[in-house]
Amino acid sequence: NPYILVTLLFGLGLGTTITFASSHWLLAWMGLEINTLAIIPLMAQHHHPRAVEATTKYFLTQATAAAMLLFASTTNAWLTGQWDIQQMSHPFPLTLITLALALKIGLAPMHTWLPEVLQGLDLTTGLVLSTWQKLAPFALLLQIQNVNPTILVTLGLASTLVGGWGGLNQTQLRKVLAYSSIAHLGWMILILQYSPSLTLLALLTYFVMTFSTFLVFKLNKSTSINALAISWTKAPILTSLTPLVLLSLGGLPPLTGFMPKWLILQELAKQDLAPLATLAALSALLSLYFYLRISYAMTLTMSPNNLTGVTPWRFSSPQLTLPLAIATTATISLL
């Protein structure tokens, strides 16, 4: 029903906006709750057992994270006597809030719900979950000052490594995208303390790249690597562009995805954290392996003289074409 859909999407926007605009922990918590409650019906809309399972898992993890957040902010108010997000001083609530927000966005080692949930959703809702739902917790993470840097660095490094190792074993595209999301979030958290503007840049480029990847898979109606191997018949031109989009996600120059990684490594080196930068760069190789594998599955079928390559084809859905074109171009040629 379009009315219900509009209401839910409005709720989604409202929740994020409230969190953005708040300087009080209670308001920020309310925004996160509205956000969660608005996306749950969207996730369960297909009434498929797998979708219902994913929705339940998502609801439980988000409720746990929100309860942790509320508990930590109340404890903070009890210990220091104020609710201001910027003015956090006590280490205990600070740590707890950081962990709660990490659970919200799915940083390792609190990441295990993310691949499971994403696998149960259709690609559009999966896209909203991978992009829009990360905004509010990120806004809070950026606002919290004087967190112990060790916590953030540990979370970030664990996420890049888990995102790399986890994706190697997958044949389902949505799970691969989930692990890719974990790895990218790890990069953002690594640099959060040292250069917040770089974190925002990485977040923005991640959004653009994920947007175009999800739209390509949606257009091809493919959810596994095997389905990609025969996607040539559905959209030949797109199939030849997709490997570039995937390699951009992996962070190869001269594609867009290389820019944030390059700048983050440079900043880490400036902060005398060369070992950390090396580990992060090596974990990016793991991610690169599975992006390459998917690209390989697609390019193997791209021979110009196969019968299906010359069949007439057209875009099945015009409302996809424009955002897809913009996102794909931005992903491939921004650097």
Side-chain angles (χ1 to χ4, degrees), residues 39-45 48-62 116-117 120-121:
I39 200 173
I40 279 175
L42 290 173
M43 293 166 85
Q45 64 187 334
H48 186 272
R50 193 74 188 77
V52 174
E53 182 194 346
T55 311
T56 314
K57 283 177 177 169
Y58 182 74
F59 175 67
L60 289 173
T61 49
Q62 296 298 309
E116 296 293 322
V117 168
L121 306 178

Side-chain angles (χ1 to χ4, degrees), residues 26 32 57 102 106 117 123 130 198 213 219 236 252-253:
L26 263 184
L32 290 171
K57 283 177 177 169
V117 168
L123 289 165
S130 302
L198 263 187
T213 318
L219 189 85
L252 277 192

Side-chain angles (χ1 to χ4, degrees), residues 40-282:
I40 279 175
L42 290 173
M43 293 166 85
Q45 64 187 334
H46 291 297
H47 301 299
H48 186 272
R50 193 74 188 77
V52 174
E53 182 194 346
T55 311
T56 314
K57 283 177 177 169
Y58 182 74
F59 175 67
L60 289 173
T61 49
Q62 296 298 309
T64 311
M68 271 173 75
L69 192 86
L70 190 60
F71 170 68
S73 48
T74 321
T75 311
N76 181 55
W78 178 46
L79 290 169
T80 60
Q82 43 82 23
W83 286 89
D84 202 334
I85 294 179
Q86 305 271 359
Q87 307 291 329
M88 300 279 288
S89 52
H90 201 284
F92 174 68
L94 259 175
T95 310
L96 208 53
I97 280 179
T98 311
L99 291 177
L101 292 172
L103 178 60
K104 273 261 180 215
I105 52 180
L107 287 170
M110 285 84 84
H111 67 281
T112 35
W113 60 272
L114 187 59
E116 296 293 322
V117 168
L118 208 55
Q119 182 55 35
L121 306 178
D122 67 313
L123 289 165
T124 322
T125 323
L127 174 62
V128 173
L129 182 68
S130 302
T131 53
W132 188 258
Q133 289 300 89
K134 309 264 188 253
L135 282 172
F138 246 101
L140 292 177
L141 275 172
L142 280 164
Q143 283 184 71
I144 305 174
Q145 260 92 34
N146 57 36
V147 186
N148 183 358
T150 326
I151 296 174
L152 288 179
V153 163
T154 312
L155 285 171
L157 200 55
S159 300
T160 54
L161 289 166
V162 163
W165 285 119
L168 293 179
N169 215 4
Q170 305 298 335
T171 54
Q172 296 293 327
L173 291 177
R174 281 167 295 186
K175 282 198 174 176
V176 167
L177 284 171
Y179 280 110
S180 141
S181 166
I182 295 167
H184 278 270
L185 287 172
W187 279 86
M188 294 169 214
I189 293 295
L190 268 182
I191 203 67
L192 188 68
Q193 281 271 291
Y194 308 108
S195 170
S197 51
L198 263 187
T199 299
L200 287 174
L201 174 76
L203 190 66
L204 189 69
T205 48
Y206 163 72
F207 275 14
V208 172
M209 295 186 297
T210 310
F211 199 68
S212 97
T213 318
F214 268 99
L215 289 185
V216 164
F217 291 161
K218 187 176 166 58
L219 189 85
N220 285 337
K221 297 185 178 59
S222 44
T223 52
S224 71
I225 294 185
N226 291 349
L228 276 184
I230 51 168
S231 61
W232 181 249
T233 49
K234 298 171 190 164
I237 293 178
L238 241 172
T239 310
S240 45
L241 281 179
T242 315
L244 284 174
V245 171
L246 288 163
L247 293 179
S248 181
L249 261 174
L252 277 192
L255 306 166
T256 311
F258 174 58
M259 177 177 54
K261 290 196 170 171
W262 184 23
L263 294 170
I264 286 173
L265 290 176
Q266 184 189 4
E267 184 60 38
L268 286 173
K270 267 187 201 163
Q271 300 285 347
D272 283 340
L273 295 170
L276 194 63
T278 314
L279 273 171
L282 286 175

Side-chain angles (χ1 to χ4, degrees), residues 14-22 27-28 30-32 85 136-137 139-140 143:
L14 181 72
T16 309
T17 317
I18 288 177
T19 308
F20 274 7
S22 61
L27 267 175
M30 275 170 8
L32 290 171
I85 294 179
L140 292 177
Q143 283 184 71

